[in-house]
Amino acid sequence: MNEIDDTQAPLLDHLIELRRRLLWSLAALVVAFGGCLYFARPILGVLVAPLKAAGQVTIINTAVTGGFIVELKVAFFAALMIAFPVIANQLWQFVAPGLYRKEKRALLPFLLATPVLFLAGASMAYFIAIPVALKFLLGFQGELAGVTQQALPEVNEYLKFVMQFIFGFGLSFLMPVLLMLLEHAGIVTFEQLKGAWRYAVVGAFAISAVLTPPDVGSQLLLAIPLVALYFLALVAIWFTRRRRERAAESEPVA
């Protein structure tokens, strides 16, 4: 009976710690949501800027409660972006006590690279991919057999379009971190990843086909960076493996 109690106590401590980290993450998200809700309209102005730059100056709302729902969506979207570093830090603080000092040093660069890569992907989506996709998609309006075809984007659909781009590109750019973590954990090896590069290229184009509109330009804007990031991850894994091997060789034999 004592053995059962002894094994339950650490589990209970872990659950309490997990709850505390989740509450801190939720608190950060709630505080960020409150601030973003106050600035929802200026944030919405930033999100619709690519649409205006593409020459579309009208956006419609087809629901009575649409304006309110749109501001909630914008606030929640911005709150996720702002609270992401806090949530990642809480996850790290939950995992870190169970790691050795060497493992902490090994995983810390991954933690630091995560928000940087996510921001790089989101920035590429906002400044490059979204304008290119809008220019292509809005190019179908005009005269059609004597009838004027005019694009009237609906605000909720447009927000879904923009958020899909930003989150899709941001998460896709985290692929090197994921691959390096899998290799570091021993789930996959460098040789396996190197041999699967053809499948990775096909997978990159499949992911881009799902996350982007059905035009070749938008798909290439995501697929090409994904392929480049895959090979960049292979190079980083090769260097880190060499460094681990040299460190193991230099350690004195017990």
Side-chain angles (χ1 to χ4, degrees), residues 37 61 64-73:
L37 186 61
N61 194 347
V64 176
T65 59
F68 175 69
I69 299 299
V70 164
E71 292 196 5
L72 289 179
K73 287 182 178 180

Side-chain angles (χ1 to χ4, degrees), residues 6 12-13 22 31 44 46 71 74 76 95 102 112 135 151 157 159 171 179 233 239 249-250:
D6 291 341
L12 182 60
D13 292 341
L22 289 175
V31 171
L44 180 59
V46 174
E71 292 196 5
V74 169
F76 185 72
V95 174
K102 184 183 295 186
L112 298 177
K135 183 178 180 181
E157 290 297 321
L159 282 180
L171 293 177
L179 293 179
F239 276 108
E249 292 174 355
S250 62

Side-chain angles (χ1 to χ4, degrees), residues 20 26 33 38 43 60 70 81 125 138 145-146 190 215 228 253:
R20 187 161 72 94
L26 181 61
F33 177 78
Y38 182 79
I43 297 173
I60 64 173
V70 164
M81 303 286 287
L138 295 176
F190 172 78
D215 64 285
V253 180

Side-chain angles (χ1 to χ4, degrees), residues 21-224:
R21 297 303 173 189
L22 289 175
L23 288 175
W24 275 109
S25 301
L26 181 61
L29 184 61
V30 170
V31 171
F33 177 78
C36 293
L37 186 61
Y38 182 79
F39 295 101
R41 291 196 175 186
I43 297 173
L44 180 59
V46 174
L47 293 178
V48 299
L51 187 65
K52 183 178 179 181
Q56 186 70 31
V57 295
T58 302
I59 190 167
I60 64 173
N61 194 347
T62 59
V64 176
T65 59
F68 175 69
I69 299 299
V70 164
E71 292 196 5
L72 289 179
K73 287 182 178 180
V74 169
F76 185 72
F77 171 74
L80 279 177
M81 303 286 287
I82 294 174
F84 178 77
V86 178
I87 296 173
N89 181 263
Q90 292 301 314
L91 177 62
W92 169 252
Q93 292 188 31
F94 175 72
V95 174
L99 301 175
Y100 293 107
R101 182 177 300 177
K102 184 183 295 186
E103 292 174 330
K104 290 180 182 179
R105 289 199 301 266
L107 293 178
L108 186 59
F110 300 139
L111 178 67
L112 298 177
T114 298
V116 175
L117 288 173
F118 184 87
L119 182 60
S123 299
M124 182 176 179
Y126 181 81
F127 291 106
I128 300 177
I130 292 176
V132 170
L134 287 176
K135 183 178 180 181
F136 171 79
L137 295 173
L138 295 176
F140 289 96
Q141 58 183 332
E143 293 293 329
L144 181 63
V147 178
T148 301
Q149 180 176 275
Q150 183 178 3
L152 293 175
E154 203 275 329
V155 62
N156 279 289
E157 290 297 321
Y158 175 75
L159 282 180
K160 179 181 177 182
F161 171 83
V162 172
M163 294 176 184
Q164 180 179 354
F165 257 93
I166 292 178
F167 272 120
F169 272 69
L171 293 177
S172 298
F173 270 54
L174 297 181
M175 182 181 62
V177 175
L178 176 61
L179 293 179
M180 294 183 73
L181 284 175
L182 292 175
E183 191 275 337
H184 186 79
I187 299 175
V188 296
T189 64
F190 172 78
E191 288 73 19
Q192 290 174 332
L193 292 174
K194 181 181 177 181
W197 70 269
R198 295 178 181 85
Y199 301 101
V201 172
V202 175
F205 279 90
I207 292 173
S208 64
V210 172
L211 296 179
T212 60
D215 64 285
V216 178
S218 299
Q219 293 177 6
L220 289 177
L221 284 174
L222 179 57
I224 292 176

